[in-house]
Amino acid sequence: MSCTLGHEFPIRNGVPDLVQSTRAAAAISDTFSVQWSRYEYGQDHTWSHSLDDRIDGFLAHLGIDSEWLRDKAILDAGCGNGELTNEVALRFRPRMFGTDISESVYRAHQQFGANVSFFRSNLSDSVLRPERFDAIYCGGVLHHTPDTRHALGQLAPAVKPAGRIYVWLYWKIPTLVYRAKTALRRFVAPLPPRAQQPIVSVFTAASWIRHGGRTGWRDHRLVQHDFWTPRYRWEHSPDEVIGWLHDLGFSDVSLQSQARDGFGLLAVR
Ligand SMILES: C[S@@+](CC[C@H](N)C(=O)[O-])C[C@H]1O[C@@H](n2cnc3c(N)ncnc32)[C@H](O)[C@@H]1O
């Protein structure tokens, strides 16, 4: 496959692969590829949410309704297992695209390739055509790149004039336990994926027991894996990111969602 600038890209397992192999890209891709390879479609819950709840969140975060989506070009940037991407495509029929740096896109393509165009890419590189998408949904992704501000700067130009982008990012949780876990994470994150697994298992067990063993073990493991293993996991404040979005030409920026561990911003061009 080649792009308009004449660069050539391989197609792997039916999916265009735009990731340039660098050590930084591999360090990010490796842990998330392990994370998503363990996901059981149809059984597990992403972030312990039902698909109905995730769809409600998707519409609310982007400040749109189902009618708005019809025939629009939508990108799920950092789509992970692609389950939400597919559900949006099935229910609302936009032209739906999903991209991720990890090998999750290959399984996502196998599962959902009839409804969604998946491609593998690194959001830190400028691979997207400017003004290509009516909306970009980017939930919990950019803080896992080496430089959140830089990655946002690569992604934002792909939003069409009058289009919108939603980004969800971590913020600092002001508790002693969180600070201690974050300090410990600094030693765990650089380890090879296999060496990280015992730590993930210990904290999965602790989380599972704390919740009375009522919800699935694998759902707890996904959350713990996502905390302990990524090479990068930056924390930001809404004001900081609102400033970046204004600098990138978005006039209308609002705090759209808040949770214990992070916040979501909606920006309209
Ligand atoms: C916490 S998961 C969120 C996945 C999905 N957005 C969701 O909410 O379920 C973060 C995702 O970002 C992807 N990611 C991290 N760095 C990336 C990069 N530089 N380019 C593309 N995807 C990236 C990871 O592979 C992972 O699937």
Side-chain angles (χ1 to χ4, degrees):
M1 193 188 111
S2 59
C3 72
T4 47
L5 297 174
H7 299 127
E8 303 229 323
F9 303 100
I11 309 252
R12 296 187 211 282
N13 305 312
V15 176
D17 181 359
L18 282 59
V19 176
Q20 292 174 10
S21 25
T22 61
R23 280 172 61 160
I28 300 168
S29 169
D30 286 354
T31 64
F32 283 107
S33 294
V34 171
Q35 177 170 309
W36 294 123
S37 71
R38 295 168 160 186
Y39 189 80
E40 298 283 350
Y41 289 102
Q43 292 179 35
D44 294 355
H45 298 91
T46 313
W47 321 127
S48 305
H49 294 309
S50 70
L51 265 176
D52 282 345
D53 287 349
R54 297 191 77 204
I55 285 285
D56 289 348
F58 176 89
L59 295 174
H61 296 156
L62 281 171
I64 54 175
D65 58 23
S66 51
E67 269 311 300
W68 188 94
L69 281 166
R70 197 172 300 272
D71 297 327
K72 295 276 196 330
I74 311 295
L75 175 67
D76 189 357
C79 60
N81 59 30
E83 226 171 37
L84 175 65
T85 333
N86 177 61
E87 203 62 22
V88 173
L90 271 183
R91 292 195 194 190
F92 310 126
R93 300 286 168 201
R95 281 171 289 136
M96 196 72 200
F97 299 82
T99 191
D100 202 282
I101 197 171
S102 79
E103 295 182 1
S104 64
V105 284
Y106 302 133
R107 281 186 82 205
H109 172 72
Q110 267 177 2
Q111 295 279 331
F112 310 125
N115 309 316
V116 178
S117 302
F118 288 101
F119 58 100
R120 189 166 172 248
S121 74
N122 183 350
L123 297 176
S124 295
D125 296 340
S126 160
V127 293
L128 302 173
R129 199 192 317 153
E131 303 185 358
R132 175 71 182 82
F133 299 102
D134 296 285
I136 296 181
Y137 191 78
C138 189
V141 178
L142 299 178
H143 46 214
H144 291 309
T145 66
D147 180 339
T148 310
R149 166 73 180 81
H150 170 81
L152 182 61
Q154 302 302 306
L155 185 60
V159 178
K160 284 183 186 175
R164 51 190 59 213
I165 183 169
Y166 172 81
V167 289
W168 193 92
L169 295 166
Y170 293 126
W171 57 18
K172 279 195 194 342
I173 301 176
T175 67
L176 217 56
V177 173
Y178 182 77
R179 286 230 297 276
K181 282 173 71 178
T182 304
L184 181 57
R185 209 197 87 80
R186 283 199 199 104
F187 298 97
V188 179
L191 298 174
R194 193 172 296 173
Q196 294 173 325
Q197 293 318 304
I199 295 140
V200 172
S201 296
V202 167
F203 282 93
T204 300
S207 167
W208 187 73
I209 291 165
R210 206 171 50 248
H211 288 84
R214 283 186 300 276
T215 48
W217 172 272
R218 283 200 306 269
D219 293 351
H220 288 275
R221 186 178 61 190
L222 176 65
V223 173
Q224 295 304 320
H225 202 283
D226 200 73
F227 177 81
W228 291 103
T229 69
R231 176 60 56 93
Y232 306 101
R233 189 187 184 282
W234 306 112
E235 292 154 341
H236 300 283
S237 71
D239 283 348
E240 178 186 19
V241 185
I242 287 170
W244 297 347
L245 286 161
H246 281 147
D247 292 347
L248 288 164
F250 292 88
S251 49
D252 189 358
V253 184
S254 54
L255 183 62
Q256 198 75 349
S257 63
Q258 300 183 57
R260 183 170 176 273
D261 54 350
F263 61 94
L265 296 177
L266 172 64
V268 182
R269 263 209 202 289

